[in-house]
Amino acid sequence: MKKLIRGLLDFQRHTLPSYRATFARLAKGQSPDCLFISCSDSRVVPNLLVSTDPGDLFTVRNVGNLVPPAAGDGQSTADRSEAAAIEFSLGFLPIEDVVVCGHSSCGAMKAILAGGAVNGSPNLEQWLAHGTPSLKALRENTQVGAGLPDADRLSQLNVLEQLEHLKTYPIVRDRLAAGTLRLHGWWFDIGAAQVHAYRADLGRFVPIDETEGDRLLTELTPEQPTLRAVQ
């Protein structure tokens, strides 16, 4: 807590002056263009990883970056707070992209891999049950995360499973069908401080280095119509 207080004072003394205009603007409303779903793990800091400012990301964080699927009526099968965040961000904010980001050495994945039982933590145990489909995928999949420890392989497969869970929400399906939303699977290697992105064409996660970053940026840039020369 002492570190938090000292950090707050440091922010007020040294950082806040350069952000006053930003916060004054944000006081009138927010307009993030990305919903970022990640683990609550203290080592995963979305704004630090992608160098974003206040107002850039709408974030949802929970143990294991899990997304409980919706039932046929569109109601979440578990956590209403996360479902509310999905509906609010996609329905009332200018969100164009959703990122689900897992990470290496994830305690939630290790617990799921060990059977999902957590003595003395019934809520956590029930929450981790949403990772069961990912464990099933691990037992069936031999490509994604090949060469990594099982917990990290499970973490990568879990990212892909949560993207599928997102698609069970009517608002996500509608936005995808309309071409106004993109889904992305990311995975953060803590030790290397390297973010990887899932490449469906390759069937694996690849590091977002300069080359991959340029490729992704090109994919996200709409093609400009060819202008005919004036005669």
Side-chain angles (χ1 to χ4, degrees), residues 177-195:
T180 61
L181 185 69
R182 295 176 292 248
L183 302 183
H184 312 271
W186 285 11
W187 187 77
F188 178 48
D189 183 338
I190 294 175
Q194 177 70 65
V195 176

Side-chain angles (χ1 to χ4, degrees), residues 6-21:
R6 292 190 181 107
L8 175 60
L9 294 175
D10 182 72
F11 170 77
Q12 293 173 343
R13 293 167 184 155
H14 305 294
T15 307
L16 181 57
S18 62
Y19 275 94
R20 285 195 184 280

Side-chain angles (χ1 to χ4, degrees), residues 38 42 72 76 98 116-117 131 141 146 156 180 185 193 210-211:
S38 65
S42 63
S76 173
V98 180
N141 190 292
Q156 291 194 350
T180 61
E210 290 289 338
T211 300

